[in-house]
Amino acid sequence: MWGTVVNGLAVIAGGMLGKILGKGLPENIRSSVMQAIGLGVLLIGIQMALATENVIIVIISLVVGGILGELFKLQTGLDNLGLYLESKFSKGEKENSFAKAFVTASLVYCVGAMAIMGALESGLTGEHQTLYAKSVLDGVSAIMFSSTLGIGVAFAAIPVVIYQGTITLLASWLQGFMTAAVIAEMKATGGLLIFGIGLNLLQITNIKVGNLLPGILFAAILASIF
């Protein structure tokens, strides 16, 4: 679990530092930084999405996952959790900006191959190099996110620790299931979700990415079958 703990602390530290640095940025610079981050997130999403070996699996997974997400209102749940944390810990943020920062950062940090592989490595071997590397990346990106989105980014450490910690604890059971093919399709599906986040950051779309999260699970199931 140590790798996951370090990852969570990196997100918190980066989020707090970014909030401090962002206070001194004029609005026009903050806007330019946000656009740069949005473009960077798009690039990450594209790179991940190209990992697929069967695009049909990705499409079906997103469709079925999106239906379930809508039925269970996952996006609403994430938003409400962000708003709850905002009411408890932040009174100075613009309306809903805390929730947006929390949800956006949580999705970016949890949807990715490094989170899965790093947590598996940590649980199976006791080695944490992958999660240490992810911690550096997440900490740096948290600075950039928080400088424009706000302190809600730091609270993304909560789902990061829960998500990666769960995988670490279940690593021995998941080892046989997480084949290279399964991870590739999960990565590709998650990449499209991150691409959607990038579009949202650029204010091009308003995709309910949270509702599409079950698609990653379906991608794993379909890849393991086919």
Side-chain angles (χ1 to χ4, degrees), residues 24-154:
L25 293 178
E27 187 59 37
N28 60 331
I29 294 180
R30 289 165 63 92
S31 178
S32 294
V33 170
M34 178 59 70
Q35 291 173 353
I37 292 174
L39 291 172
V41 172
L42 288 179
L43 177 59
I44 293 171
I46 292 172
Q47 288 179 324
M48 290 175 58
L50 292 176
T52 183
E53 297 293 334
N54 190 335
V55 69
I56 299 301
I57 287 179
V58 175
I59 294 173
I60 293 175
S61 297
L62 287 176
V63 171
V64 177
I67 292 172
L68 281 180
E70 286 288 347
L71 290 175
F72 288 101
K73 301 185 183 301
L74 295 183
Q75 182 68 52
T76 300
L78 286 171
D79 290 338
N80 288 340
L81 176 58
L83 292 172
Y84 172 78
L85 292 173
E86 179 178 15
S87 68
K88 295 296 182 181
F89 299 103
S90 178
K91 302 295 185 181
E93 300 284 315
K94 295 179 181 178
E95 186 176 1
N96 292 336
S97 65
F98 183 102
K100 178 181 178 181
F102 169 75
V103 173
T104 299
S106 296
L107 292 173
V108 169
Y109 297 147
C110 291
V111 177
M114 286 188 78
I116 298 172
M117 292 305 299
L120 285 174
E121 177 189 54
S122 181
L124 292 172
T125 69
E127 300 292 332
H128 312 295
Q129 280 77 6
T130 301
L131 288 183
Y132 288 159
K134 182 176 182 290
S135 298
V136 174
L137 295 174
D138 289 356
V140 172
S141 63
I143 295 174
M144 295 185 290
F145 276 130
S146 186
S147 67
T148 53
L149 291 174
I151 194 61
V153 171

Side-chain angles (χ1 to χ4, degrees), residues 117 174-184 223-224:
M117 292 305 299
L174 292 171
Q175 182 183 18
F177 177 73
M178 291 294 184
T179 64
V182 169
I183 292 175
S224 66

